[in-house]
Amino acid sequence: MIWVCLGQNAGPLPEFPVADEAGIRVLLAGSYRFRALGPRLIENLLDVAHLGIVHGGLLGDPERGEVEDYEVGMGVRGPEAREIRIWQPDPDGTGAGAHVSYHYEVLGPLTAGFVKLGSTEQGERRFGILAQVAPVDEQYCEMRLVMAMNYGHEIPDEELIGFQNRVTEQDRAIVESQRPELLPLDLQAELHLRSDRMAIAYRKWLREIGFTYGVA
């Protein structure tokens, strides 16, 4: 992976420490091209409530879609939320349901990630994604994912990436149909629920840093 800055260097590269842990397997997924603008993709990634609806049967269950209350704070680079606990029927593409806990982190205006923790008889499972979105033009953007996991070493790369491709295509139907296409930074413009705390913090942060691409 090569990171390129076409303007003034704004600081160090995003960190994804789970990828450097012992026993971690790292995969690259994408690029995925969307007819949408970057902030909509990042907010979709941060939306834990959509997992039970958009990804029912994989990353959530509409009958068990309640999201426990959680707190959002400010991390080193942007908003972050820890220990968001939900149940998933197939949290990692292996076919086994489990309760998992999410730690979300915004690492830049168009960079975000999470680490998902789950427990099995074999020990703690750790699965992380670092998502980077790059604008293409006034209508399209591309997203690339770094995936990191400490299990499933016997599963072929193409099977795990295929699972992520399936999840991403489910997201596409939602992200590309959202209106307005520009992400409203005025919090009065759209209805928010308690489970939207991370998305609200992301919008507030974009406004505070003066970010203008893909926002209203």
Side-chain angles (χ1 to χ4, degrees):
M1 176 177 291
I2 300 174
W3 295 80
V4 178
C5 176
L6 300 180
Q8 183 178 357
N9 186 4
L13 294 178
E15 296 181 358
F16 190 46
V18 65
D20 296 323
E21 295 177 3
I24 289 288
R25 177 182 184 181
V26 177
L27 301 169
L28 301 180
S31 62
Y32 304 105
R33 180 168 289 208
F34 290 81
R35 190 187 184 283
L37 301 180
R40 284 293 191 187
L41 270 73
I42 295 297
E43 187 175 76
N44 179 77
L45 178 81
L46 301 174
D47 178 19
V48 66
H50 91 287
L51 298 176
I53 306 301
V54 179
H55 306 300
L58 297 178
L59 302 180
D61 183 342
E63 301 299 322
R64 305 177 68 172
E66 182 177 353
V67 178
E68 296 181 8
D69 200 11
Y70 66 93
E71 297 296 327
V72 176
M74 185 57 61
V76 176
R77 297 170 181 264
E80 69 173 340
R82 296 178 178 269
E83 298 182 4
I84 307 177
R85 184 172 168 81
I86 63 173
W87 187 86
Q88 295 183 331
D90 189 8
D92 42 45
T94 63
H99 277 94
V100 297
S101 179
Y102 276 86
H103 171 201
Y104 286 97
E105 191 172 16
V106 175
L107 300 170
L110 297 178
T111 307
F114 65 78
V115 175
K116 178 166 58 177
L117 305 178
S119 298
T120 68
E121 295 180 356
Q122 290 73 38
E124 183 182 70
R125 285 188 169 186
R126 298 172 64 81
F127 176 82
I129 279 184
L130 175 66
Q132 169 65 43
V133 177
V136 174
D137 55 30
E138 294 182 355
Q139 291 185 311
Y140 290 87
C141 66
E142 289 186 345
M143 180 174 68
R144 293 167 174 81
L145 304 178
V146 183
M147 303 163 55
M149 52 198 298
N150 70 344
Y151 57 89
H153 297 284
E154 75 285 356
I155 302 175
D157 289 4
E158 55 269 23
E159 185 173 335
L160 294 170
I161 294 173
F163 178 83
Q164 186 58 50
N165 293 345
R166 183 180 175 189
V167 169
T168 300
E169 288 307 309
Q170 291 176 337
D171 282 325
R172 179 188 304 282
I174 302 301
V175 172
E176 293 189 347
S177 65
Q178 287 181 319
R179 298 294 182 271
E181 295 180 2
L182 298 178
L183 185 72
L185 298 189
D186 179 359
L187 299 181
Q188 303 299 317
E190 293 183 333
L191 175 66
H192 297 279
L193 304 176
R194 185 176 62 181
S195 58
D196 294 326
R197 286 182 176 177
M198 190 61 181
I200 292 172
Y202 174 60
R203 294 188 185 194
K204 286 182 176 179
W205 180 73
L206 290 180
R207 186 171 58 192
E208 290 170 0
I209 66 173
F211 192 69
T212 58
Y213 159 74
V215 301

